[in-house]
Amino acid sequence: MLSTGALRAHLLAARLAGTVATSREESLRSYRLFAARDPRVLIGIDPEWSWSVRDLIGLMADKCGVSGDPRCTTGQDVIDPERTVAALDAFALRLAAVARRGGAVLIGTGHPHRLLGFYAALADALSAAGCTVLTPAHGHRVDITTRFGLRTYNLRYVRGVALVRGADGKGSGGEPGAHTHSPLPVRTALAAAAESGGPLPGLVIGDHGWVCGAGQLGFEAIGLADTDDPALFVGEAEGVVSVAVPLDDAVRSDYYLPLTRYVLNRACLSQ
């Protein structure tokens, strides 16, 4: 069993928390865009409250541990590992709850090159506990506006985890899927699940638009978020997202393995 102390040490050593790769400049840019309600940063959330940049800095200082000083405009962001551990504990509680009732789950990621292994392990454990891991809209087309213009992707499932791949099959560089913040993939999956008359998820697990898009539609959603992704933390503050875990979401994929073990153990889902 990975102790809380060992997890905290790993978070700092792997730079999942502590001083992270995300710069203050990147985060402040996201906060400005969010305050202007730019859909690229809202990623599926329709905020009920009005959020200024100062409000967002205060929220992210509270939720993540970044500097709460608006005059701090350069350098690297800092995530408080204590906040990460507490959020992982809350994340594990939601996994345990859905496992106890044998509920249906939908798992998806916009960071497949980093987080596929983390989510796939959750899918395996939840399936073994009697949950139905949903795979609606497999192969469906999703048109997403990117900085390069409109791009067509296909929704795919790898080891029970949804992701998108380019429709032309090019440009993947051997990666399992494409990086995206869009809520369109989860909307496509949920619409297909509803239209088929099959079960709807009792819990959606993921990041980016998977969490925000599902939460905005009224589904319980939990996930991981970096300091330049304020939408998940706004969603949590407004009651749309159940749990947002602050951490760097783009480190080496094997650095997330101890988090997997910790979460599954806390949820009593270790195999």
Side-chain angles (χ1 to χ4, degrees), residues 12 14 27 34 44 49 51 56 58 79 116-117 121 131 148 151 157 159 161 175 186 211 245 248-249:
L12 293 171
S27 293
F34 191 96
W49 307 338
W51 291 89
L56 291 165
I79 295 175
L116 178 59
C131 292
F148 305 109
R151 293 289 185 270
Y157 289 85
R159 297 174 59 195
V161 182
E175 300 289 1
V186 74
V211 176
V245 179
D248 190 320
D249 59 8

Side-chain angles (χ1 to χ4, degrees), residues 222-233:
I222 62 175
L224 316 178
D226 210 330
T227 58
D228 60 349
D229 290 327
L232 281 84
F233 299 101

Side-chain angles (χ1 to χ4, degrees), residues 95-113:
L95 294 181
V98 76
R100 280 196 302 270
R101 63 180 186 266
V105 297
L106 176 64
I107 307 174
T109 181
H111 266 302
H113 56 308

